[in-house]
Coordinates of all heavy atoms in Angstrom, one line a residue:
I1 N 11.6 -5.0 2.2 CA 10.2 -5.1 2.4 C 9.8 -6.6 2.5 O 10.2 -7.4 1.6 CB 9.4 -4.5 1.2 CG1 9.8 -3.0 1.1 CG2 7.9 -4.6 1.4 CD1 9.5 -2.1 2.3
S2 N 9.1 -6.9 3.5 CA 8.6 -8.3 3.6 C 7.3 -8.5 2.8 O 6.3 -7.7 3.0 CB 8.3 -8.6 5.1 OG 7.7 -9.8 5.3
A3 N 7.3 -9.5 2.0 CA 6.1 -9.8 1.2 C 5.8 -11.3 1.4 O 6.1 -12.1 0.5 CB 6.3 -9.5 -0.3
P4 N 5.2 -11.7 2.5 CA 4.8 -13.1 2.7 C 3.6 -13.5 1.8 O 3.0 -12.7 1.3 CB 4.5 -13.1 4.2 CG 4.0 -11.8 4.5 CD 4.8 -10.8 3.6
D5 N 3.4 -14.8 1.7 CA 2.3 -15.3 1.0 C 1.0 -14.7 1.5 O 0.7 -14.7 2.7 CB 2.2 -16.8 1.1 CG 3.3 -17.5 0.4 OD1 4.0 -16.9 -0.4 OD2 3.5 -18.8 0.7
A6 N 0.2 -14.1 0.6 CA -1.0 -13.4 1.0 C -2.2 -14.4 0.9 O -2.1 -15.4 0.1 CB -1.2 -12.2 0.1
R7 N -3.3 -14.1 1.6 CA -4.5 -14.9 1.5 C -5.1 -14.7 0.1 O -5.8 -15.6 -0.4 CB -5.4 -14.5 2.6 CG -5.0 -14.9 4.0 CD -5.9 -14.3 5.1 NE -5.7 -12.9 5.2 CZ -6.4 -12.1 6.0 NH1 -7.3 -12.6 6.8 NH2 -6.2 -10.8 6.1
D8 N -4.9 -13.5 -0.5 CA -5.4 -13.3 -1.8 C -4.5 -12.2 -2.4 O -4.0 -11.3 -1.7 CB -6.9 -12.8 -1.7 CG -7.5 -12.7 -3.1 OD1 -8.1 -13.7 -3.5 OD2 -7.4 -11.6 -3.8
I9 N -4.4 -12.2 -3.8 CA -3.5 -11.2 -4.4 C -3.9 -9.8 -4.1 O -3.0 -8.9 -4.1 CB -3.4 -11.5 -5.9 CG1 -4.8 -11.4 -6.6 CG2 -2.8 -12.8 -6.2 CD1 -4.8 -11.4 -8.1
Y10 N -5.2 -9.5 -3.9 CA -5.6 -8.2 -3.7 C -5.3 -7.6 -2.3 O -5.4 -6.5 -2.0 CB -7.1 -8.0 -3.9 CG -7.5 -8.3 -5.4 CD1 -8.2 -9.5 -5.7 CD2 -7.2 -7.5 -6.4 CE1 -8.5 -9.8 -7.0 CE2 -7.5 -7.7 -7.7 CZ -8.2 -8.9 -8.0 OH -8.5 -9.2 -9.3
E11 N -4.7 -8.5 -1.5 CA -4.3 -8.1 -0.1 C -2.8 -7.6 -0.2 O -2.4 -6.9 0.7 CB -4.3 -9.3 0.8 CG -4.0 -9.0 2.3 CD -4.0 -10.2 3.2 OE1 -3.8 -11.3 2.7 OE2 -4.2 -10.0 4.4
V12 N -2.1 -7.9 -1.3 CA -0.7 -7.5 -1.4 C -0.5 -6.0 -1.2 O 0.4 -5.5 -0.5 CB -0.1 -8.0 -2.6 CG1 1.4 -7.6 -2.8 CG2 -0.1 -9.6 -2.6
P13 N -1.3 -5.1 -1.9 CA -1.1 -3.7 -1.7 C -1.2 -3.2 -0.2 O -0.5 -2.4 0.2 CB -2.3 -3.0 -2.5 CG -2.6 -4.0 -3.6 CD -2.4 -5.4 -2.9
L14 N -2.1 -3.9 0.5 CA -2.2 -3.6 1.9 C -1.0 -4.0 2.7 O -0.5 -3.3 3.6 CB -3.5 -4.3 2.5 CG -4.8 -3.9 1.9 CD1 -5.9 -4.7 2.5 CD2 -5.1 -2.4 2.1
Q15 N -0.4 -5.1 2.3 CA 0.9 -5.6 2.9 C 2.0 -4.6 2.7 O 2.8 -4.2 3.6 CB 1.3 -6.9 2.4 CG 0.4 -8.1 2.8 CD 0.8 -9.4 2.3 OE1 1.5 -9.4 1.3 NE2 0.5 -10.5 2.9
L16 N 2.1 -4.1 1.4 CA 3.2 -3.2 1.1 C 3.0 -1.8 1.8 O 4.0 -1.2 2.2 CB 3.2 -3.0 -0.5 CG 3.5 -4.2 -1.3 CD1 3.6 -3.8 -2.8 CD2 4.9 -4.8 -0.9
E17 N 1.8 -1.4 1.9 CA 1.5 -0.1 2.6 C 1.9 -0.3 4.1 O 2.5 0.6 4.6 CB 0.0 0.2 2.4 CG -0.4 1.5 3.2 CD 0.1 2.7 2.6 OE1 0.4 2.8 1.4 OE2 0.3 3.7 3.4
K18 N 1.5 -1.4 4.6 CA 1.9 -1.6 6.1 C 3.4 -1.6 6.3 O 3.9 -1.2 7.3 CB 1.2 -3.0 6.5 CG 1.4 -3.3 8.0 CD 0.7 -4.6 8.4 CE 1.0 -4.9 9.8 NZ 0.3 -6.2 10.2
E19 N 4.1 -2.1 5.3 CA 5.6 -2.2 5.4 C 6.2 -0.8 5.1 O 7.5 -0.7 5.3 CB 6.1 -3.2 4.4 CG 6.0 -4.7 4.8 CD 7.0 -5.1 5.9 OE1 8.2 -5.1 5.6 OE2 6.5 -5.4 7.0
G20 N 5.5 0.2 4.8 CA 6.0 1.5 4.5 C 6.6 1.7 3.2 O 7.3 2.7 2.9
A21 N 6.2 0.8 2.2 CA 6.8 0.9 0.9 C 6.5 2.2 0.2 O 7.3 2.8 -0.5 CB 6.4 -0.3 0.0
T22 N 5.2 2.7 0.4 CA 4.8 3.9 -0.3 C 5.6 5.1 0.0 O 6.1 5.8 -0.8 CB 3.3 4.2 0.0 OG1 2.6 3.0 0.1 CG2 2.7 5.1 -1.1
D23 N 5.8 5.3 1.3 CA 6.6 6.4 1.8 C 8.1 6.4 1.3 O 8.7 7.4 1.0 CB 6.6 6.5 3.3 CG 5.2 6.9 3.8 OD1 4.5 7.6 3.1 OD2 4.8 6.4 4.9
I24 N 8.6 5.1 1.3 CA 10.0 5.0 0.8 C 10.1 5.4 -0.6 O 11.0 6.1 -1.1 CB 10.5 3.5 1.0 CG1 10.5 3.2 2.5 CG2 11.8 3.3 0.3 CD1 10.7 1.7 2.7
I25 N 9.1 5.0 -1.5 CA 9.1 5.3 -2.9 C 9.0 6.8 -3.1 O 9.7 7.4 -3.9 CB 8.0 4.5 -3.6 CG1 8.3 3.0 -3.6 CG2 7.8 5.1 -5.0 CD1 7.1 2.2 -4.1
L26 N 8.0 7.4 -2.4 CA 7.8 8.8 -2.6 C 8.9 9.7 -2.1 O 9.3 10.7 -2.7 CB 6.5 9.2 -1.8 CG 5.2 8.6 -2.3 CD1 4.0 9.1 -1.5 CD2 5.0 8.8 -3.8
N27 N 9.6 9.3 -1.0 CA 10.8 10.0 -0.5 C 11.9 9.9 -1.6 O 12.6 10.9 -1.8 CB 11.3 9.4 0.8 CG 10.3 9.8 1.9 OD1 9.6 10.8 1.9 ND2 10.3 9.0 3.0
H28 N 12.1 8.7 -2.1 CA 13.2 8.6 -3.1 C 12.9 9.4 -4.4 O 13.9 10.0 -4.9 CB 13.3 7.1 -3.5 CG 14.4 6.8 -4.5 ND1 15.6 6.5 -4.2 CD2 14.4 6.9 -5.9 CE1 16.4 6.3 -5.3 NE2 15.6 6.6 -6.3
L29 N 11.7 9.5 -4.8 CA 11.4 10.2 -6.0 C 11.0 11.7 -5.8 O 10.7 12.4 -6.7 CB 10.2 9.6 -6.7 CG 10.4 8.1 -7.2 CD1 9.1 7.5 -7.8 CD2 11.5 8.0 -8.3
N30 N 11.1 12.1 -4.5 CA 10.9 13.5 -4.1 C 9.4 13.9 -4.5 O 9.2 15.0 -5.1 CB 11.9 14.5 -4.7 CG 13.3 14.3 -4.2 OD1 13.4 14.0 -3.0 ND2 14.3 14.4 -5.0
L31 N 8.5 13.0 -4.2 CA 7.1 13.3 -4.5 C 6.3 13.6 -3.3 O 6.5 12.9 -2.2 CB 6.4 12.2 -5.3 CG 7.0 11.9 -6.7 CD1 6.4 10.6 -7.2 CD2 6.7 13.0 -7.7
Q32 N 5.4 14.5 -3.3 CA 4.5 14.8 -2.2 C 3.2 14.1 -2.3 O 2.5 14.2 -3.3 CB 4.3 16.3 -2.1 CG 5.5 17.2 -1.8 CD 6.1 16.8 -0.5 OE1 5.4 16.7 0.5 NE2 7.5 16.7 -0.5
S33 N 2.9 13.3 -1.3 CA 1.6 12.6 -1.3 C 0.4 13.5 -1.3 O 0.4 14.4 -0.5 CB 1.6 11.6 -0.1 OG 0.4 10.9 -0.1
K34 N -0.5 13.2 -2.2 CA -1.7 14.1 -2.2 C -2.8 13.6 -1.2 O -3.6 14.4 -0.8 CB -2.3 14.1 -3.7 CG -1.3 14.6 -4.7 CD -1.8 14.4 -6.1 CE -0.7 14.8 -7.1 NZ -1.1 14.5 -8.5
E35 N -2.8 12.3 -1.0 CA -3.8 11.8 0.0 C -3.4 10.4 0.5 O -2.4 9.9 0.0 CB -5.2 11.6 -0.8 CG -5.1 10.9 -2.1 CD -6.3 11.0 -2.9 OE1 -6.5 12.1 -3.5 OE2 -7.1 10.1 -2.9
K36 N -4.0 10.0 1.5 CA -3.6 8.7 2.0 C -4.9 8.0 2.6 O -5.3 8.2 3.7 CB -2.6 8.8 3.1 CG -2.0 7.5 3.7 CD -1.0 7.7 4.7 CE -0.4 6.4 5.2 NZ 0.6 6.6 6.3
D37 N -5.5 7.2 1.8 CA -6.7 6.5 2.2 C -6.9 5.2 1.4 O -7.2 5.3 0.2 CB -7.9 7.4 2.0 CG -9.2 6.8 2.5 OD1 -9.1 5.8 3.2 OD2 -10.3 7.3 2.1
M38 N -6.8 4.1 2.0 CA -7.0 2.8 1.4 C -8.2 2.1 1.9 O -8.4 0.9 1.8 CB -5.8 1.9 1.5 CG -4.5 2.4 0.8 SD -3.2 1.2 0.6 CE -3.9 0.2 -0.7
Q39 N -9.1 2.9 2.5 CA -10.3 2.3 3.1 C -11.2 1.6 2.1 O -11.7 0.5 2.4 CB -11.1 3.4 3.8 CG -10.5 3.9 5.1 CD -10.2 2.7 6.1 OE1 -9.1 2.4 6.3 NE2 -11.3 2.1 6.6
E40 N -11.4 2.2 0.9 CA -12.3 1.6 -0.1 C -11.7 0.2 -0.6 O -12.4 -0.8 -0.7 CB -12.5 2.5 -1.3 CG -13.6 2.2 -2.2 CD -15.0 2.4 -1.5 OE1 -15.1 3.2 -0.5 OE2 -15.9 1.6 -1.8
W41 N -10.4 0.3 -0.9 CA -9.7 -1.0 -1.3 C -9.7 -2.0 -0.2 O -10.0 -3.2 -0.4 CB -8.2 -0.7 -1.6 CG -7.5 -1.8 -2.2 CD1 -6.6 -2.7 -1.6 CD2 -7.6 -2.3 -3.6 NE1 -6.1 -3.6 -2.5 CE2 -6.7 -3.4 -3.7 CE3 -8.3 -1.9 -4.7 CZ2 -6.5 -4.1 -4.9 CZ3 -8.1 -2.6 -5.9 CH2 -7.2 -3.7 -6.0
R42 N -9.5 -1.6 1.1 CA -9.6 -2.5 2.2 C -10.9 -3.2 2.3 O -11.0 -4.4 2.6 CB -9.2 -1.7 3.5 CG -8.9 -2.7 4.7 CD -8.6 -1.8 5.9 NE -7.5 -0.9 5.7 CZ -6.2 -1.2 5.7 NH1 -5.9 -2.5 6.1 NH2 -5.3 -0.4 5.5
K43 N -12.0 -2.4 2.0 CA -13.3 -2.9 2.1 C -13.6 -4.0 1.0 O -14.2 -5.1 1.3 CB -14.4 -1.8 1.9 CG -15.8 -2.2 2.2 CD -16.8 -1.2 1.6 CE -16.6 0.1 2.3 NZ -17.7 1.1 1.8
H44 N -13.0 -3.8 -0.2 CA -13.2 -4.8 -1.2 C -12.4 -6.0 -0.9 O -12.9 -7.2 -1.1 CB -12.6 -4.2 -2.5 CG -13.4 -3.1 -3.2 ND1 -14.8 -3.2 -3.4 CD2 -13.0 -1.9 -3.6 CE1 -15.2 -2.1 -3.9 NE2 -14.2 -1.3 -4.1

């Protein structure tokens, strides 16, 4: 996973999501995603 210097620390979750980290984690732990929406966080 690429984690370059972010413009702000609150941007890092968006970077990880873009890199596909969430799906990799859920697949490894055999968890089913209940929802997928980072719009509110993105707005902040």
Side-chain angles (χ1 to χ4, degrees):
I1 303 297
S2 175
D5 293 345
R7 291 171 290 177
D8 190 89
I9 59 171
Y10 297 108
E11 188 183 23
V12 177
L14 299 177
Q15 290 180 338
L16 296 182
E17 177 69 27
K18 185 179 178 181
E19 283 283 297
T22 324
D23 291 330
I24 295 168
I25 292 168
L26 296 182
N27 288 338
H28 180 93
L29 297 175
N30 293 322
L31 295 172
Q32 295 297 317
S33 178
K34 300 173 185 177
E35 51 194 79
K36 185 178 181 180
D37 181 16
M38 294 197 73
Q39 287 304 112
E40 199 64 31
W41 186 260
R42 195 179 302 276
K43 189 194 300 182
H44 291 309

